[in-house]
Amino acid sequence: MDTEVQAVENQETENQEMDQANEMEKMDDMFPTINPGDVITGKVVQVSADEVLVDIGYKSEGRIPLNELSFRSNVKPEELVAVGDEIQVKVWKIDEGEGTVLLSRRRAEAEKSWEKLEAAYENGEILEATVAQTVKGGLLVDVGVRGFIPASHVSRNFVDDLDAYIGQTLRLKIIEFDRQK
């Protein structure tokens, strides 16, 4: 009789485990499948000094670390996004064990920007970009990605102090296009 009771208990345990597995499978089916490299739209739910939380319709909110928010340094998150904003993000890393999803707004914007820049280059379009900083030999501009302007191309005349250009918006034409640089 003990074997019968044992067999019934084993069967009940197996049924419970199968039910739990089925429930977890159903819950997984409720959420979209996301993979590293996907560019998706999400809604900002929290902005703090070192990260932004985004509702991407997944099991948990995605997290954008400060360095993945923008390529510009010395920028406060609240200057770039606000709670309720819909933003495009790139899935950077998924940790199923902890249930965390790392996102990158910077990488999603860079992908879009490269496409726009390539079209502008091919069509010979004039762009407007803000000077973000000076570097040895020229300026870095914000064109969605870092764009470099050699000092010799900033002005027709020699420019002694490139720092004067920081924050200015310049009209530019792309003369070289290389995603690898």
Side-chain angles (χ1 to χ4, degrees):
M1 186 130 94
D2 283 338
T3 25
E4 286 180 30
V5 171
Q6 185 77 28
V8 169
E9 287 176 357
N10 286 345
Q11 185 62 43
E12 287 177 5
T13 302
E14 285 179 27
N15 288 344
Q16 287 175 347
E17 288 173 359
M18 286 181 63
D19 288 345
Q20 286 176 343
N22 286 339
E23 285 299 315
M24 290 181 75
E25 209 172 286
K26 284 180 187 175
M27 285 182 64
D28 284 345
D29 290 344
M30 290 172 45
F31 301 105
T33 302
I34 59 171
N35 298 301
D38 289 352
V39 175
I40 56 177
T41 301
K43 190 172 197 172
V44 175
V45 293
Q46 183 180 338
V47 179
S48 67
D50 60 344
E51 70 179 8
V52 173
L53 295 180
V54 181
D55 179 0
I56 55 172
Y58 197 60
K59 299 174 192 176
S60 62
E61 280 113 9
R63 186 174 72 85
I64 306 174
L66 183 59
N67 65 330
E68 289 296 326
L69 199 55
S70 172
F71 83 83
R72 295 183 306 177
S73 56
N74 301 326
V75 163
K76 295 177 183 171
E78 59 272 11
E79 293 173 358
L80 300 172
V81 295
V83 173
D85 286 355
E86 295 241 337
I87 60 171
Q88 293 250 299
V89 292
K90 187 169 191 169
V91 178
W92 179 29
K93 190 193 261 184
I94 302 171
D95 185 342
E96 294 292 345
E98 290 186 23
T100 58
V101 179
L102 288 177
L103 305 170
S104 175
R105 179 175 179 252
R106 174 179 64 91
R107 295 173 198 230
E109 288 182 344
E111 208 167 283
K112 279 194 306 188
S113 295
W114 279 115
E115 292 168 8
K116 289 180 183 175
L117 291 171
E118 190 169 16
Y121 173 67
E122 289 172 356
N123 298 325
E125 293 175 26
I126 302 294
L127 305 173
E128 287 194 357
T130 303
V131 177
Q133 69 185 82
T134 60
V135 293
K136 183 178 180 181
L139 302 172
L140 290 182
V141 292
D142 180 358
V143 288
V145 293
R146 290 180 193 201
F148 177 71
I149 304 172
S152 61
H153 293 190
V154 172
S155 175
R156 292 180 193 262
N157 303 320
F158 176 77
V159 177
D160 189 40
D161 182 20
L162 291 175
D163 287 337
Y165 285 91
I166 293 177
Q168 287 188 26
T169 300
L170 304 177
R171 291 176 42 84
L172 310 166
K173 183 174 181 179
I174 301 170
I175 58 172
E176 184 181 329
F177 183 84
D178 186 351
R179 286 186 185 221
Q180 305 305 318
K181 286 186 178 181

